[in-house]
Coordinates of all heavy atoms in Angstrom, one line a residue:
M1 N 116.8 77.4 107.2 CA 116.5 77.2 105.7 C 117.2 78.3 104.9 O 116.9 79.5 105.1 CB 115.0 77.3 105.5 CG 114.6 77.0 104.1 SD 112.8 76.9 103.8 CE 112.4 78.6 104.0
R2 N 118.2 77.9 104.1 CA 118.9 78.9 103.3 C 118.5 78.6 101.8 O 118.5 77.5 101.4 CB 120.4 78.7 103.5 CG 120.9 78.8 104.9 CD 121.5 80.2 105.1 NE 121.6 80.4 106.5 CZ 121.9 81.6 107.0 NH1 122.1 82.6 106.3 NH2 122.0 81.8 108.3
T3 N 118.2 79.7 101.2 CA 117.9 79.6 99.8 C 118.7 80.6 99.0 O 119.2 81.6 99.5 CB 116.4 79.9 99.5 OG1 116.1 81.2 100.0 CG2 115.5 78.9 100.3
K4 N 118.8 80.3 97.7 CA 119.5 81.3 96.8 C 118.9 82.6 96.7 O 119.5 83.6 96.5 CB 119.5 80.7 95.4 CG 120.5 79.5 95.2 CD 120.5 79.1 93.8 CE 121.5 77.9 93.6 NZ 121.4 77.3 92.2
S5 N 117.5 82.7 97.0 CA 116.8 83.9 96.9 C 117.3 85.0 97.9 O 117.2 86.2 97.7 CB 115.3 83.7 97.1 OG 115.1 83.3 98.4
K6 N 118.0 84.5 98.9 CA 118.6 85.4 100.0 C 119.5 86.5 99.4 O 119.6 87.6 99.9 CB 119.3 84.7 101.1 CG 118.4 83.9 102.0 CD 119.1 83.3 103.1 CE 119.4 84.4 104.1 NZ 119.8 83.8 105.5
N7 N 120.2 86.1 98.3 CA 121.2 87.0 97.7 C 120.6 87.9 96.6 O 121.3 88.7 96.0 CB 122.4 86.3 97.3 CG 123.1 85.6 98.5 OD1 123.2 86.2 99.6 ND2 123.6 84.4 98.3
R8 N 119.4 87.6 96.2 CA 118.8 88.3 95.1 C 118.3 89.7 95.6 O 117.9 89.8 96.8 CB 117.7 87.5 94.4 CG 118.2 86.3 93.7 CD 117.4 86.0 92.5 NE 116.0 85.9 92.8 CZ 115.2 84.8 92.7 NH1 115.8 83.7 92.4 NH2 113.9 84.9 92.9
P9 N 118.2 90.7 94.7 CA 117.6 91.9 95.1 C 116.1 91.7 95.6 O 115.5 90.8 95.0 CB 117.6 92.8 93.9 CG 118.5 92.1 92.9 CD 118.6 90.7 93.3
I10 N 115.7 92.5 96.5 CA 114.3 92.5 96.9 C 113.5 93.4 96.1 O 113.8 94.6 96.0 CB 114.2 92.8 98.4 CG1 115.0 91.8 99.2 CG2 112.7 92.9 98.9 CD1 115.2 92.2 100.7
K11 N 112.4 92.9 95.5 CA 111.5 93.8 94.7 C 110.4 94.2 95.5 O 109.8 93.4 96.3 CB 111.0 93.0 93.4 CG 112.1 92.8 92.4 CD 111.7 91.8 91.3 CE 111.9 90.4 91.9 NZ 111.4 89.3 91.2
L12 N 110.0 95.4 95.4 CA 108.9 96.0 96.2 C 107.8 96.5 95.3 O 108.0 97.2 94.3 CB 109.5 97.1 97.0 CG 108.6 97.7 98.2 CD1 109.5 98.4 99.2 CD2 107.5 98.6 97.7
K13 N 106.6 96.1 95.6 CA 105.4 96.6 94.9 C 104.4 97.2 95.9 O 104.2 96.6 97.0 CB 104.7 95.5 94.2 CG 105.3 95.1 92.9 CD 104.5 94.0 92.2 CE 105.2 93.5 90.9 NZ 104.5 92.3 90.4
Y14 N 103.9 98.4 95.6 CA 102.8 98.9 96.4 C 101.5 98.5 95.9 O 101.3 98.5 94.7 CB 102.9 100.5 96.4 CG 104.2 101.0 97.1 CD1 105.2 101.5 96.3 CD2 104.3 100.9 98.5 CE1 106.4 102.0 96.9 CE2 105.5 101.4 99.1 CZ 106.5 101.9 98.3 OH 107.6 102.3 98.9
K15 N 100.6 98.0 96.8 CA 99.4 97.4 96.3 C 98.3 97.6 97.4 O 98.6 97.7 98.6 CB 99.7 95.9 96.2 CG 98.8 95.1 95.4 CD 99.3 93.7 95.3 CE 98.3 92.8 94.6 NZ 98.7 91.4 94.5
K16 N 97.1 97.6 96.9 CA 96.0 97.7 97.9 C 95.8 96.3 98.4 O 95.4 95.4 97.7 CB 94.7 98.2 97.1 CG 94.5 99.7 97.2 CD 93.1 100.0 96.7 CE 92.8 101.5 96.8 NZ 92.6 102.0 98.2
L17 N 96.1 96.1 99.7 CA 96.0 94.8 100.2 C 94.7 94.5 101.0 O 94.4 93.4 101.3 CB 97.2 94.5 101.2 CG 98.6 94.5 100.5 CD1 99.7 94.4 101.6 CD2 98.7 93.4 99.5
G18 N 94.0 95.6 101.2 CA 92.7 95.4 101.9 C 92.8 95.4 103.4 O 93.9 95.1 103.9
R19 N 91.8 95.9 104.1 CA 91.9 96.1 105.5 C 92.0 94.8 106.3 O 92.5 94.8 107.4 CB 90.7 96.9 106.0 CG 90.8 98.3 105.6 CD 89.6 99.1 106.1 NE 89.5 100.4 105.4 CZ 90.1 101.5 105.8 NH1 90.9 101.5 106.9 NH2 90.0 102.6 105.1
Q20 N 91.4 93.7 105.8 CA 91.4 92.5 106.6 C 92.8 91.8 106.6 O 93.0 91.0 107.5 CB 90.3 91.5 106.0 CG 90.7 90.8 104.7 CD 90.4 91.7 103.5 OE1 90.2 92.9 103.6 NE2 90.5 91.1 102.3
R21 N 93.7 92.3 105.8 CA 95.0 91.6 105.7 C 96.0 92.5 106.4 O 95.7 93.6 106.8 CB 95.3 91.3 104.3 CG 94.4 90.3 103.6 CD 94.7 90.1 102.2 NE 96.0 89.5 102.0 CZ 96.6 89.5 100.9 NH1 96.1 90.0 99.8 NH2 97.8 88.9 100.8
A22 N 97.2 92.0 106.4 CA 98.3 92.8 107.0 C 98.7 94.0 106.1 O 98.2 94.1 105.0 CB 99.5 91.9 107.2
W23 N 99.6 94.8 106.6 CA 100.1 96.0 105.9 C 101.0 95.6 104.8 O 101.3 96.3 103.9 CB 100.8 96.9 106.8 CG 99.9 97.6 107.8 CD1 100.0 97.4 109.2 CD2 98.9 98.5 107.6 NE1 99.0 98.1 109.8 CE2 98.3 98.9 108.9 CE3 98.4 99.2 106.5 CZ2 97.3 99.8 109.0 CZ3 97.3 100.1 106.6 CH2 96.8 100.4 107.9
G24 N 101.6 94.4 104.9 CA 102.5 93.9 103.9 C 102.5 92.4 103.8 O 101.9 91.7 104.6
Q25 N 103.3 92.0 102.8 CA 103.3 90.5 102.5 C 104.7 90.2 101.9 O 105.2 91.0 101.0 CB 102.2 90.2 101.4 CG 102.1 88.8 100.9 CD 100.9 88.1 101.5 OE1 100.0 88.8 102.0 NE2 101.0 86.8 101.5
A26 N 105.3 89.2 102.3 CA 106.6 88.8 101.7 C 106.5 87.4 101.0 O 105.9 86.5 101.5 CB 107.6 88.7 102.8
Y27 N 107.0 87.4 99.8 CA 107.1 86.1 99.1 C 108.6 85.7 99.1 O 109.4 86.2 98.3 CB 106.6 86.3 97.6 CG 105.1 86.6 97.6 CD1 104.7 88.0 97.6 CD2 104.1 85.6 97.7 CE1 103.4 88.3 97.6 CE2 102.8 86.0 97.7 CZ 102.4 87.3 97.7 OH 101.1 87.7 97.7
K28 N 109.0 84.9 100.1 CA 110.4 84.6 100.3 C 111.1 83.9 99.2 O 112.2 84.1 98.9 CB 110.5 83.7 101.6 CG 109.9 84.4 102.8 CD 109.7 83.5 104.0 CE 108.9 84.1 105.1 NZ 108.7 83.2 106.2
E29 N 110.3 83.1 98.4 CA 110.9 82.3 97.4 C 111.4 83.2 96.2 O 112.4 82.9 95.5 CB 109.9 81.3 96.8 CG 109.1 80.5 97.8 CD 108.0 81.2 98.5 OE1 107.4 82.2 97.9 OE2 107.8 81.0 99.7
T30 N 110.7 84.3 96.0 CA 111.0 85.2 94.9 C 111.6 86.5 95.3 O 111.9 87.4 94.5 CB 109.8 85.4 94.0 OG1 108.7 85.9 94.9 CG2 109.3 84.2 93.3
N31 N 111.7 86.7 96.6 CA 112.2 88.0 97.2 C 111.3 89.2 96.7 O 111.8 90.3 96.5 CB 113.6 88.3 96.8 CG 114.6 87.8 97.9 OD1 114.2 87.1 98.8 ND2 115.9 88.1 97.7
L32 N 110.0 89.0 96.6 CA 109.1 90.0 96.3 C 108.4 90.4 97.6 O 107.9 89.6 98.3 CB 108.1 89.5 95.3 CG 106.9 90.5 95.0 CD1 107.3 91.8 94.3 CD2 105.8 89.8 94.2
I33 N 108.3 91.7 97.8 CA 107.5 92.2 99.0 C 106.4 93.1 98.4 O 106.6 93.9 97.5 CB 108.3 92.8 100.1 CG1 109.1 94.1 99.6 CG2 109.3 91.8 100.7 CD1 109.8 94.8 100.8
E34 N 105.3 93.0 99.0 CA 104.2 93.9 98.7 C 103.8 94.7 100.0 O 103.8 94.2 101.1 CB 102.9 93.1 98.3 CG 103.1 92.4 97.0 CD 101.9 91.5 96.6 OE1 101.1 91.2 97.5 OE2 101.9 91.1 95.5
V35 N 103.6 96.0 99.8 CA 103.3 96.9 100.9 C 102.0 97.7 100.5 O 101.9 98.1 99.4 CB 104.5 97.9 101.1 CG1 104.1 99.0 102.1 CG2 105.7 97.2 101.6
E36 N 101.2 97.8 101.5 CA 99.9 98.5 101.3 C 100.1 99.9 100.8 O 100.9 100.6 101.3 CB 99.2 98.5 102.7 CG 97.9 99.4 102.7 CD 96.9 99.1 101.7 OE1 96.5 97.9 101.6 OE2 96.4 100.0 101.0
K37 N 99.4 100.1 99.7 CA 99.5 101.4 99.0 C 99.2 102.6 99.8 O 99.7 103.7 99.6 CB 98.6 101.3 97.8 CG 99.0 102.2 96.6 CD 98.1 101.9 95.4 CE 98.5 102.7 94.3 NZ 97.9 102.3 93.0
N38 N 98.3 102.4 100.7 CA 97.8 103.6 101.5 C 98.6 103.9 102.7 O 98.2 104.7 103.5 CB 96.3 103.3 102.0 CG 95.4 103.3 100.8 OD1 95.6 104.1 99.8 ND2 94.3 102.5 100.9
T39 N 99.8 103.2 102.9 CA 100.6 103.6 104.0 C 101.5 104.8 103.6 O 101.7 105.1 102.5 CB 101.6 102.4 104.4 OG1 102.3 102.0 103.2 CG2 100.8 101.2 104.9
K40 N 102.0 105.4 104.7 CA 102.9 106.5 104.4 C 103.7 106.7 105.7 O 103.4 106.1 106.8 CB 102.3 107.8 104.0 CG 101.3 108.4 105.0 CD 100.7 109.7 104.4 CE 99.7 110.3 105.5 NZ 99.2 111.5 105.0
G41 N 104.7 107.5 105.6 CA 105.5 107.9 106.8 C 106.2 106.7 107.5 O 106.6 105.7 106.8
K42 N 106.2 106.7 108.8 CA 107.0 105.7 109.5 C 106.3 104.3 109.4 O 107.0 103.3 109.4 CB 107.1 106.1 111.0 CG 108.1 105.2 111.7 CD 108.4 105.7 113.1 CE 109.5 104.9 113.7 NZ 109.6 105.2 115.1
L43 N 105.0 104.3 109.3 CA 104.3 103.0 109.1 C 104.8 102.3 107.8 O 105.1 101.1 107.8 CB 102.8 103.1 109.0 CG 102.0 101.9 108.7 CD1 102.3 100.8 109.8 CD2 100.5 102.2 108.6
R44 N 105.0 103.1 106.7 CA 105.4 102.5 105.5 C 106.9 102.0 105.6 O 107.2 100.9 105.2 CB 105.3 103.5 104.3 CG 105.9 103.0 103.0 CD 105.7 103.9 101.9 NE 104.3 103.7 101.3 CZ 103.9 104.2 100.2 NH1 104.7 104.9 99.4 NH2 102.7 103.9 99.7
L45 N 107.7 102.8 106.3 CA 109.1 102.4 106.5 C 109.1 101.1 107.2 O 109.9 100.2 106.9 CB 109.9 103.5 107.3 CG 111.3 103.2 107.7 CD1 112.2 103.0 106.5 CD2 111.9 104.3 108.6
R46 N 108.3 101.0 108.3 CA 108.3 99.8 109.1 C 107.8 98.6 108.3 O 108.4 97.5 108.4 CB 107.4 100.0 110.3 CG 108.0 100.9 111.4 CD 107.2 101.0 112.6 NE 107.3 99.6 113.3 CZ 107.0 99.4 114.6 NH1 106.6 100.4 115.3 NH2 107.1 98.2 115.1
C47 N 106.8 98.8 107.5 CA 106.3 97.7 106.6 C 107.4 97.2 105.7 O 107.6 96.0 105.5 CB 105.1 98.2 105.8 SG 103.7 98.5 106.8
I48 N 108.1 98.1 105.0 CA 109.1 97.8 104.1 C 110.2 96.9 104.8 O 110.6 95.9 104.3 CB 109.7 99.0 103.4 CG1 108.7 99.7 102.5 CG2 111.0 98.6 102.6 CD1 109.1 101.0 102.0
L49 N 110.7 97.5 105.9 CA 111.7 96.7 106.6 C 111.2 95.4 107.1 O 112.0 94.4 107.0 CB 112.2 97.6 107.8 CG 113.0 98.9 107.5 CD1 113.2 99.7 108.7 CD2 114.3 98.5 106.8
H50 N 110.0 95.4 107.7 CA 109.5 94.1 108.2 C 109.4 93.0 107.1 O 109.9 91.9 107.3 CB 108.0 94.4 108.7 CG 107.4 93.2 109.3 ND1 107.4 93.0 110.7 CD2 106.8 92.1 108.8 CE1 106.8 91.9 111.0 NE2 106.4 91.3 109.8
E51 N 108.9 93.4 106.0 CA 108.8 92.4 104.9 C 110.1 92.0 104.3 O 110.4 90.9 104.0 CB 107.8 92.9 103.8 CG 106.4 93.2 104.3 CD 105.7 92.1 105.1 OE1 106.0 90.9 104.9 OE2 104.9 92.4 106.0
A52 N 111.0 93.0 104.3 CA 112.4 92.7 103.8 C 113.1 91.7 104.7 O 113.8 90.8 104.2 CB 113.2 94.0 103.7
Y53 N 112.9 91.9 106.0 CA 113.5 90.9 106.9 C 113.0 89.5 106.7 O 113.7 88.5 106.9 CB 113.3 91.4 108.4 CG 114.3 92.3 108.9 CD1 113.9 93.6 109.4 CD2 115.6 92.0 109.0 CE1 114.9 94.5 109.9 CE2 116.6 92.8 109.5 CZ 116.2 94.1 109.9 OH 117.2 95.0 110.4
H54 N 111.7 89.4 106.4 CA 111.2 88.0 106.1 C 111.9 87.4 104.9 O 112.1 86.2 104.9 CB 109.7 88.1 105.8 CG 108.8 88.2 107.1 ND1 109.0 87.3 108.1 CD2 107.8 89.0 107.4 CE1 108.1 87.5 109.0 NE2 107.4 88.6 108.7
C55 N 112.4 88.2 104.0 CA 113.1 87.7 102.8 C 114.6 87.4 103.2 O 115.1 86.4 102.9 CB 113.1 88.7 101.7 SG 111.4 88.8 100.9
I56 N 115.2 88.4 104.0 CA 116.6 88.3 104.3 C 116.8 87.1 105.3 O 117.8 86.4 105.2 CB 117.1 89.6 104.9 CG1 117.0 90.7 103.8 CG2 118.4 89.5 105.5 CD1 117.1 92.1 104.3
A57 N 115.9 87.0 106.2 CA 116.1 86.0 107.3 C 114.8 85.2 107.5 O 114.1 85.4 108.4 CB 116.5 86.7 108.6
P58 N 114.5 84.3 106.5 CA 113.3 83.6 106.5 C 113.1 82.7 107.8 O 112.0 82.3 108.1 CB 113.3 82.7 105.2 CG 114.7 82.8 104.7 CD 115.3 84.0 105.3
E59 N 114.2 82.4 108.4 CA 114.2 81.5 109.6 C 113.8 82.2 110.8 O 113.5 81.6 111.9 CB 115.5 80.7 109.7 CG 116.7 81.6 110.2 CD 117.4 82.3 109.0 OE1 116.8 82.4 107.9 OE2 118.5 82.9 109.2
W60 N 113.8 83.6 110.8 CA 113.5 84.3 112.0 C 112.0 84.2 112.4 O 111.2 84.2 111.5 CB 113.8 85.8 111.8 CG 115.3 86.1 111.9 CD1 116.3 85.2 111.9 CD2 115.9 87.4 111.9 NE1 117.5 85.9 111.9 CE2 117.3 87.3 111.9 CE3 115.3 88.7 111.9 CZ2 118.1 88.4 111.9 CZ3 116.2 89.8 111.9 CH2 117.6 89.6 111.9
S61 N 111.8 84.3 113.7 CA 110.4 84.3 114.2 C 109.8 85.6 113.9 O 110.5 86.6 113.7 CB 110.4 84.0 115.7 OG 111.0 85.1 116.4
E62 N 108.4 85.7 113.9 CA 107.7 86.9 113.7 C 108.1 88.0 114.8 O 108.3 89.1 114.4 CB 106.2 86.7 113.8 CG 105.3 87.8 113.5 CD 105.5 88.3 112.0 OE1 105.9 87.5 111.2 OE2 105.1 89.5 111.8
S63 N 108.3 87.5 116.0 CA 108.7 88.5 117.0 C 110.1 89.1 116.8 O 110.4 90.2 117.1 CB 108.5 87.9 118.4 OG 109.5 87.0 118.7
R64 N 111.0 88.2 116.3 CA 112.4 88.7 116.1 C 112.4 89.7 114.9 O 113.1 90.7 114.9 CB 113.3 87.5 115.8 CG 114.7 88.0 115.6 CD 115.7 86.8 115.5 NE 117.0 87.2 115.4 CZ 118.0 86.4 115.1 NH1 117.9 85.1 114.9 NH2 119.3 86.9 115.0
V65 N 111.6 89.4 113.9 CA 111.4 90.3 112.7 C 110.9 91.7 113.2 O 111.4 92.7 112.9 CB 110.5 89.7 111.7 CG1 110.0 90.8 110.6 CG2 111.2 88.6 111.0
R66 N 109.8 91.6 114.1 CA 109.2 92.8 114.6 C 110.2 93.7 115.4 O 110.3 94.9 115.3 CB 108.0 92.5 115.5 CG 106.8 92.3 114.7 CD 105.5 92.5 115.6 NE 104.5 91.7 115.0 CZ 103.9 90.7 115.6 NH1 104.2 90.4 116.8 NH2 103.0 90.0 114.9
K67 N 111.0 93.0 116.3 CA 112.0 93.7 117.1 C 113.0 94.4 116.2 O 113.4 95.6 116.4 CB 112.7 92.8 118.1 CG 111.8 92.4 119.3 CD 112.6 91.5 120.2 CE 111.6 90.8 121.1 NZ 112.1 89.5 121.6
S68 N 113.5 93.7 115.2 CA 114.6 94.2 114.3 C 114.0 95.4 113.4 O 114.7 96.4 113.3 CB 115.1 93.1 113.4 OG 115.6 92.1 114.2
E69 N 112.8 95.2 112.9 CA 112.2 96.2 112.1 C 112.0 97.5 113.0 O 112.3 98.6 112.5 CB 110.8 95.7 111.7 CG 109.7 96.7 111.4 CD 108.4 96.3 112.0 OE1 108.0 95.1 111.9 OE2 107.8 97.2 112.7
K70 N 111.6 97.4 114.2 CA 111.5 98.5 115.1 C 112.8 99.2 115.4 O 112.9 100.4 115.3 CB 110.8 98.1 116.4 CG 110.4 99.4 117.2 CD 109.7 99.0 118.5 CE 109.4 100.2 119.4 NZ 110.0 101.5 119.1
L71 N 113.8 98.4 115.6 CA 115.1 99.0 115.9 C 115.7 99.8 114.7 O 116.1 101.0 114.9 CB 116.2 97.9 116.2 CG 116.1 97.3 117.6 CD1 117.1 96.1 117.7 CD2 116.5 98.3 118.7
I72 N 115.6 99.3 113.5 CA 116.1 99.9 112.4 C 115.2 101.1 112.0 O 115.7 102.2 111.6 CB 116.3 99.0 111.2 CG1 117.3 97.8 111.6 CG2 116.9 99.7 110.0 CD1 118.7 98.3 112.0
S73 N 113.9 100.9 112.0 CA 113.0 102.1 111.6 C 113.2 103.2 112.6 O 113.2 104.4 112.2 CB 111.6 101.6 111.5 OG 111.1 101.2 112.7
D74 N 113.3 102.9 113.9 CA 113.5 104.0 114.9 C 114.9 104.7 114.6 O 114.9 106.0 114.6 CB 113.6 103.5 116.3 CG 112.2 103.1 116.8 OD1 111.2 103.5 116.2 OD2 112.1 102.4 117.9
L75 N 115.9 104.0 114.3 CA 117.2 104.5 114.0 C 117.1 105.5 112.8 O 117.6 106.6 112.9 CB 118.2 103.4 113.7 CG 119.6 103.9 113.2 CD1 120.4 104.6 114.4 CD2 120.4 102.6 112.8
L76 N 116.6 105.0 111.7 CA 116.5 105.8 110.5 C 115.6 107.0 110.6 O 115.9 108.1 110.2 CB 116.0 104.9 109.3 CG 117.0 103.8 108.9 CD1 116.3 102.9 107.8 CD2 118.3 104.3 108.4
W77 N 114.4 106.7 111.3 CA 113.4 107.8 111.5 C 114.1 108.9 112.3 O 113.9 110.1 112.0 CB 112.2 107.3 112.1 CG 111.0 108.2 112.0 CD1 110.5 109.0 113.0 CD2 110.2 108.4 110.8 NE1 109.4 109.7 112.5 CE2 109.2 109.4 111.2 CE3 110.2 107.9 109.5 CZ2 108.3 109.8 110.2 CZ3 109.3 108.3 108.6 CH2 108.3 109.3 109.0
N78 N 114.8 108.6 113.3 CA 115.4 109.6 114.2 C 116.5 110.3 113.5 O 116.9 111.4 114.0 CB 115.9 108.9 115.5 CG 114.7 108.5 116.4 OD1 113.6 109.0 116.3 ND2 115.0 107.5 117.2
Q79 N 117.0 109.8 112.4 CA 118.0 110.5 111.6 C 117.4 111.2 110.5 O 118.0 111.7 109.6 CB 119.0 109.5 111.0 CG 119.9 108.8 112.1 CD 120.7 109.8 112.9 OE1 121.3 110.7 112.3 NE2 120.7 109.7 114.2
N80 N 116.0 111.3 110.5 CA 115.2 112.1 109.6 C 115.2 111.5 108.2 O 114.9 112.2 107.2 CB 115.6 113.5 109.5 CG 115.1 114.3 110.7 OD1 114.1 114.0 111.3 ND2 115.9 115.3 111.1
Y81 N 115.4 110.2 108.0 CA 115.2 109.5 106.7 C 113.7 109.5 106.5 O 112.9 109.0 107.3 CB 115.8 108.1 106.7 CG 117.3 108.2 106.4 CD1 118.2 108.3 107.4 CD2 117.7 108.3 105.1 CE1 119.5 108.4 107.2 CE2 119.1 108.4 104.8 CZ 120.0 108.4 105.9 OH 121.3 108.6 105.6
R82 N 113.3 110.0 105.3 CA 111.9 110.1 104.9 C 111.7 109.8 103.4 O 112.6 110.0 102.6 CB 111.3 111.5 105.1 CG 111.4 112.0 106.6 CD 110.4 111.3 107.5 NE 110.3 111.9 108.8 CZ 111.1 111.6 109.8 NH1 112.1 110.7 109.7 NH2 111.0 112.2 111.0
Q83 N 110.6 109.3 103.1 CA 110.3 109.1 101.6 C 109.7 110.4 101.2 O 108.8 110.9 101.8 CB 109.2 108.0 101.5 CG 109.0 107.6 100.0 CD 108.2 106.4 99.9 OE1 107.1 106.3 100.5 NE2 108.6 105.4 99.2
V84 N 110.2 110.9 100.0 CA 109.7 112.2 99.6 C 108.2 112.1 99.2 O 107.8 111.1 98.7 CB 110.6 112.8 98.4 CG1 111.9 113.2 99.0 CG2 110.6 111.9 97.3
D85 N 107.5 113.2 99.4 CA 106.0 113.2 99.2 C 105.6 112.9 97.8 O 104.6 112.3 97.5 CB 105.4 114.5 99.6 CG 105.3 114.7 101.1 OD1 105.4 113.6 101.8 OD2 105.1 115.8 101.6
N86 N 106.4 113.4 96.8 CA 106.0 113.2 95.4 C 106.5 111.9 94.8 O 106.4 111.7 93.6 CB 106.4 114.4 94.5 CG 107.9 114.5 94.5 OD1 108.7 113.8 95.2 ND2 108.4 115.5 93.8
Y87 N 106.9 111.0 95.7 CA 107.3 109.7 95.2 C 106.1 108.8 95.0 O 105.4 108.5 95.9 CB 108.2 109.0 96.2 CG 108.7 107.6 95.8 CD1 109.8 107.4 95.0 CD2 108.0 106.5 96.2 CE1 110.2 106.2 94.6 CE2 108.4 105.2 95.9 CZ 109.5 105.1 95.0 OH 109.9 103.8 94.6
I88 N 105.8 108.6 93.7 CA 104.6 107.8 93.4 C 105.0 106.6 92.6 O 105.7 106.6 91.6 CB 103.6 108.7 92.5 CG1 103.2 109.9 93.3 CG2 102.4 107.8 92.1 CD1 102.4 110.9 92.6
K89 N 104.5 105.5 93.1 CA 104.8 104.2 92.5 C 103.7 103.2 92.8 O 103.1 103.2 93.8 CB 106.1 103.6 93.0 CG 106.9 103.0 91.9 CD 108.3 102.7 92.3 CE 109.1 102.2 91.1 NZ 110.4 101.8 91.4
Ligands
ZN101 ZN1 105.7 89.4 109.6

């Protein structure tokens, strides 16, 4: 399934998603991703990448998204990419 939304920028919102739900949510039609507000560090990085992959490659299975998210988050994390502490959004 290929859609025009694949080439649009991905918008990210931090939101309280609640404990019963996942850490993130992707709206593939609009390229909007929501990430749990209470995440930080590597978990947040993984959530962002995970939901972004759902927008970039909507045809991918959940397990393929998880594997790719882990590969890239490990790569970036091991290169010391971090979100600065005073980043509030
Ligand atoms: Zn997923």
Side-chain angles (χ1 to χ4, degrees):
M1 185 173 72
R2 302 259 165 192
T3 59
K4 284 182 182 174
S5 64
K6 285 186 80 161
N7 298 321
R8 292 213 311 245
I10 296 169
K11 288 167 277 169
L12 192 159
K13 281 184 184 167
Y14 294 106
K15 201 173 171 184
K16 271 193 176 284
L17 295 174
R19 287 179 194 275
Q20 74 280 11
R21 296 176 64 194
W23 295 111
Q25 177 107 19
Y27 298 92
K28 300 168 190 175
E29 313 76 30
T30 54
N31 268 8
L32 170 69
I33 63 176
E34 293 175 345
V35 171
E36 170 58 49
K37 205 175 185 168
N38 292 328
T39 55
K40 60 181 184 177
K42 195 173 184 189
L43 175 61
R44 176 172 277 192
L45 175 64
R46 289 188 67 164
C47 291
I48 293 169
L49 291 171
H50 184 100
E51 301 309 332
Y53 273 120
H54 278 308
C55 291
I56 293 164
E59 70 278 13
W60 283 11
S61 67
E62 185 65 20
S63 74
R64 188 172 179 190
V65 166
R66 275 202 208 115
K67 283 178 199 160
S68 301
E69 154 226 314
K70 186 176 178 351
L71 282 172
I72 301 300
S73 64
D74 286 347
L75 173 69
L76 294 175
W77 197 257
N78 291 337
Q79 293 301 313
N80 285 328
Y81 278 91
R82 302 288 189 271
Q83 188 172 53
V84 293
D85 283 345
N86 63 357
Y87 180 83
I88 298 169
K89 221 170 186 184

